[in-house]
Amino acid sequence: MTRKNVHISQETEGYDAIVVGSGISGGWAAKELTEKGLKTLLLERGRPVEHSTDYITEHKAPWELNMRGRYNRANAEANYAVQKRTGQFRAEAEHWFINDKENPYIEDKPFTWIRGNHVGGRSLMWGRHCYRWSDIDFEANLKDGNGVDWPIRYADIAPWYDYVEKFAGISGEKLGLPQLPDGQFQPGMPLNVVEKHLREQIIKNFPERILTIGRVAILTEALPGRAACHYCGPCIRGCSTGSYFSSQSSTLPAAVATGNLTLRPYSIVQQVIYDETRDKATGVRIVDSETNEVLEFKAKVVFLCASALGSTQILLNSKSNRFADGLANSSGELGHNLMDHHFKVGANAMVDGFDDRYYYGNRPTGFYVPRFRNINSETRRQDYVRGYGYQGSARRENWGRGNDMRGFGAELKQQLREPGDWRIGMTAFGECLPRHGNYVRLDDAVTDKWGMPALRINAAWGANEFAMRRDMAQSAAEMLDAAGYRDVSTYDSYTEGGLGAEVGLGIHEMGTARMGRDPKTSVLNEWNQAHDVPNLYVTDGACMTSSGCQNPSITYMALTARAVDHAVSEMKKGNIS
């Protein structure tokens, strides 16, 4: 890379706040900071994306897509060798995924890092499932001795769950479960007839278990400026009605409306600038990915929301005399305790009957079976700690089943016009323990297109995850068996040393800059504030002290809003200036 001049930003007065990353956490930070009156610079490494206008494949039929929606294999192999590992990588959504060739990382062990590269980040690509954590999760590390104790409990974050849920719009069913607290829900989407049958059979045969509709950030009732879901189909193409929560549909318009937001795409933040004489962060240093210029921006407070690994990569690259191993790393824990949810394990079955029932439209969620292991003494397992939940759905086979059918011509076409048999599947998402030995570090020998040292990632599942996986498959099968379904089969896609169910594929990477009570063993305090640098906050997945088994995004939203409230309060007191 040929760099142009290194110079200070033209913004001589600087900003009140800088937010790095415009995804779920960054969008929330920008909204909250600007609504509290702070002049805020939002830096995004990728290209701009305008709501609706840039959803270039939304509502297109398969025959309107290039190659009928199949991606170019040669291009994918050359530029998206990692991104194509996820089933979400399709021709209709290829433009959302980062170019792996330009943005390399090193896998000491198999690790899949799925990334967006645009304004809105993965808020345009996520699964939208939203489940609160409970004290069972916040107390787990303390009780079983894995990792360090969370510095907060459910009561600390519950009001902030309420706050973000009302704005984001979460649909779902209230259940009154201690392990999965209820929230501010819009009406949940209906289960189909087979899912209702499975729910009844689970209650009958396994009283400690429950099946419900997935709780998702998708509207079933309109909110200001956003319409209820019209069930059109693949959400990953974008949602111009704003029916699902994204930065584009929700937080960024709110931030823009304040008049306090400056959004700068194509801005790859490489370092947080630290002033040792004042013991504070003074801004960030970026590379403009279009011009290769190196620029610096100043602010009173910095929020890192660049994704778990993105934020940690920036911190590790922010070295000084005091922090030779990365900014805010006096504990030595920066980069360690990497976690993800392990999945790609469960069971499938065929379902007889219900032939008179068929559903039109595309319901953008499935069912959810909340955690039922290690909740109390009655559900305690001897072979592993923590727990898991299931996500799944039942559906009728469509015309695609013709790929495996004999026949041709008009007779085959006529057969395929009729709905096929019912199928049902359940996939478990399990908690991963925090381990110091699962870590990332910089490798100066490998850089991205703009000179940023690449991450070297070393992470693997442990004995606890493998014991849990065996139970995940068996428990799914026993529920499908008990319901009377046929051809029940289990699966586990994990391969030792290979791909299939490797760390990272869950796209819930967490940890590497964990919160904690003790500055000697953690990077952030109870407010997501760096122990070492009080005007530096990290509110994405990097902050997580454990991983729970619930999809984590709603927790990032709540922690971010809570952290902004604390930062602004500290600024008003003069503790941050």
Side-chain angles (χ1 to χ4, degrees):
M1 183 196 80
T2 301
R3 285 183 175 172
K4 295 187 177 179
N5 295 330
V6 178
H7 62 274
I8 305 299
S9 163
Q10 298 295 319
E11 309 285 345
T12 55
E13 296 183 358
Y15 295 88
D16 294 321
I18 288 175
V19 177
V20 181
S22 63
I24 287 175
S25 300
W28 267 102
K31 171 187 175 296
E32 295 300 301
L33 289 163
T34 56
E35 288 184 341
K36 293 179 184 298
L38 273 63
K39 295 293 183 184
T40 301
L41 174 64
L42 176 57
L43 297 169
E44 165 55 48
R45 63 173 293 132
R47 64 186 173 87
V49 170
E50 291 293 332
H51 184 50
S52 186
T53 306
D54 290 328
Y55 304 154
I56 56 177
T57 58
E58 186 185 20
H59 294 150
K60 281 191 174 181
W63 54 85
E64 297 177 289
L65 299 171
N66 186 36
M67 296 176 62
R68 298 297 189 266
R70 294 187 181 276
Y71 62 73
N72 183 305
R73 292 187 179 182
N75 177 55
E77 191 61 43
N79 296 303
Y80 303 100
V82 172
Q83 307 305 300
K84 69 182 180 65
R85 294 176 188 172
T86 174
Q88 299 303 311
F89 183 83
R90 311 164 195 161
E92 67 205 59
E94 181 180 312
H95 48 283
W96 296 140
F97 290 85
I98 202 167
N99 184 305
D100 291 313
K101 187 176 180 180
E102 295 179 346
N103 301 276
Y105 67 96
I106 304 99
E107 301 173 77
D108 283 344
K109 297 172 183 172
F111 182 94
T112 294
W113 189 9
I114 302 300
R115 292 176 277 178
N117 196 34
H118 47 265
V119 171
R122 292 192 298 197
S123 78
L124 290 170
M125 307 156 71
W126 66 313
R128 300 164 296 282
H129 281 256
C130 292
Y131 305 101
R132 292 188 180 200
W133 283 33
S134 73
D135 272 335
I136 293 174
D137 303 298
F138 287 113
E139 295 174 356
N141 283 5
L142 178 65
K143 289 185 174 179
D144 64 32
N146 291 286
V148 299
D149 187 21
W150 275 88
I152 61 173
R153 291 294 184 263
Y154 179 68
D156 297 310
I157 194 174
W160 296 100
Y161 276 132
D162 287 343
Y163 178 72
V164 299
E165 286 171 347
K166 290 177 182 175
F167 182 83
I170 311 299
S171 60
E173 179 188 18
K174 292 187 177 183
L175 299 169
L177 300 175
Q179 72 272 35
L180 194 74
D182 296 328
Q184 303 295 323
F185 298 150
Q186 295 192 350
M189 297 173 199
L191 299 168
N192 64 39
V193 65
V194 172
E195 293 163 347
K196 289 178 181 176
H197 177 262
L198 179 60
R199 174 179 168 128
E200 293 168 358
Q201 296 303 308
I202 288 176
I203 293 172
K204 177 181 176 182
N205 294 283
F206 307 96
E208 78 282 10
R209 307 180 193 180
I210 184 71
L211 182 151
T212 185
I213 190 66
R215 296 172 177 175
V216 286
I218 302 175
L219 304 182
T220 54
E221 296 176 342
L223 288 177
R226 299 169 58 195
C229 180
H230 57 286
Y231 308 106
C232 67
C235 300
I236 198 169
R237 298 183 185 183
C239 182
S240 57
T241 59
S243 303
Y244 77 68
F245 173 89
S246 68
S247 297
Q248 271 80 358
S249 70
S250 305
T251 47
L252 294 186
V256 170
T258 66
N260 291 324
L261 181 71
T262 299
L263 171 60
R264 193 182 197 284
Y266 299 121
S267 301
I268 300 175
V269 175
Q270 294 198 323
Q271 293 171 316
V272 175
I273 303 168
Y274 173 68
D275 186 334
E276 290 197 14
T277 60
R278 292 186 290 170
D279 192 25
K280 62 183 287 188
T282 57
V284 299
R285 183 172 296 117
I286 76 158
V287 174
D288 186 303
S289 63
E290 287 197 308
T291 67
N292 290 335
E293 285 184 299
V294 179
L295 304 168
E296 293 182 356
F297 296 96
K298 305 295 184 183
K300 299 172 184 173
V301 64
V302 175
F303 271 73
L304 289 184
C305 306
S307 82
L309 297 185
S311 291
T312 294
Q313 185 177 21
I314 293 168
L315 289 173
L316 288 170
N317 198 42
S318 304
K319 300 177 181 177
S320 62
N321 290 330
R322 180 185 172 194
F323 298 110
D325 297 320
L327 185 59
N329 192 22
S330 63
S331 66
E333 292 297 328
L334 181 65
H336 292 271
N337 312 295
L338 175 60
M339 299 169 284
D340 183 29
H341 288 145
H342 59 106
F343 80 134
K344 292 280 186 178
V345 56
N348 297 305
M350 302 295 293
V351 183
D352 293 327
F354 310 104
D355 294 336
D356 59 338
R357 305 298 293 271
Y358 185 81
Y359 296 84
Y360 291 92
N362 296 280
R363 189 188 62 191
T365 185
F367 63 73
Y368 187 68
V369 177
R371 171 179 169 177
F372 52 86
R373 296 298 198 202
N374 294 321
I375 302 298
N376 49 40
S377 58
E378 288 75 28
T379 60
R380 183 154 300 140
R381 298 279 300 192
Q382 298 301 316
D383 51 345
Y384 64 85
V385 297
R386 314 294 173 99
Y388 58 86
Y390 290 104
Q391 297 178 27
S393 65
R395 62 176 179 82
R396 295 196 74 165
E397 294 178 312
N398 60 22
W399 58 266
R401 69 188 190 280
N403 292 330
D404 299 321
M405 291 175 60
R406 291 179 178 274
F408 60 93
E411 183 178 353
L412 176 62
K413 290 181 180 178
Q414 184 58 41
Q415 291 181 47
L416 296 179
R417 287 193 177 97
E418 297 297 324
D421 294 333
W422 281 97
R423 286 181 174 272
I424 193 165
M426 303 174 66
T427 297
F429 284 75
E431 179 164 1
C432 164
L433 294 180
R435 298 187 190 86
H436 186 82
N438 282 346
Y439 66 90
V440 301
R441 65 177 176 84
L442 293 182
D443 188 330
D444 294 330
V446 180
T447 63
D448 68 14
K449 183 179 177 183
W450 300 272
M452 179 80 159
L455 283 182
R456 179 177 285 277
I457 305 176
N458 188 318
W461 306 127
N464 198 71
E465 285 83 48
F466 288 122
M468 189 184 295
R469 292 181 76 83
R470 289 190 286 274
D471 185 41
M472 290 159 129
Q474 293 168 4
S475 295
E478 71 182 12
M479 284 188 277
L480 299 178
D481 269 327
Y485 304 150
R486 65 177 168 86
D487 299 337
V488 175
S489 61
T490 62
Y491 66 93
D492 185 343
S493 300
Y494 176 79
T495 60
E496 186 174 357
L499 302 176
E502 67 279 9
V503 186
L505 194 61
I507 322 181
H508 293 165
E509 62 270 18
M510 288 176 265
T512 65
R514 68 185 178 191
M515 297 168 68
R517 301 177 187 276
D518 188 347
K520 295 180 181 177
T521 59
S522 58
V523 178
L524 308 172
N525 67 14
E526 71 270 37
W527 302 107
N528 292 78
Q529 182 183 28
H531 286 297
D532 296 331
V533 186
N535 67 332
L536 174 64
Y537 289 76
V538 183
T539 68
D540 52 33
C543 75
M544 301 297 275
T545 311
S546 64
S547 68
C549 66
Q550 303 93 321
N551 300 53
S553 294
I554 195 70
T555 299
Y556 303 163
M557 296 186 207
L559 287 174
T560 300
R562 180 175 180 269
V564 168
D565 188 69
H566 178 264
V568 174
S569 174
E570 290 296 286
M571 294 174 81
K572 289 179 178 177
K573 295 174 185 174
N575 295 331
I576 294 176
S577 59

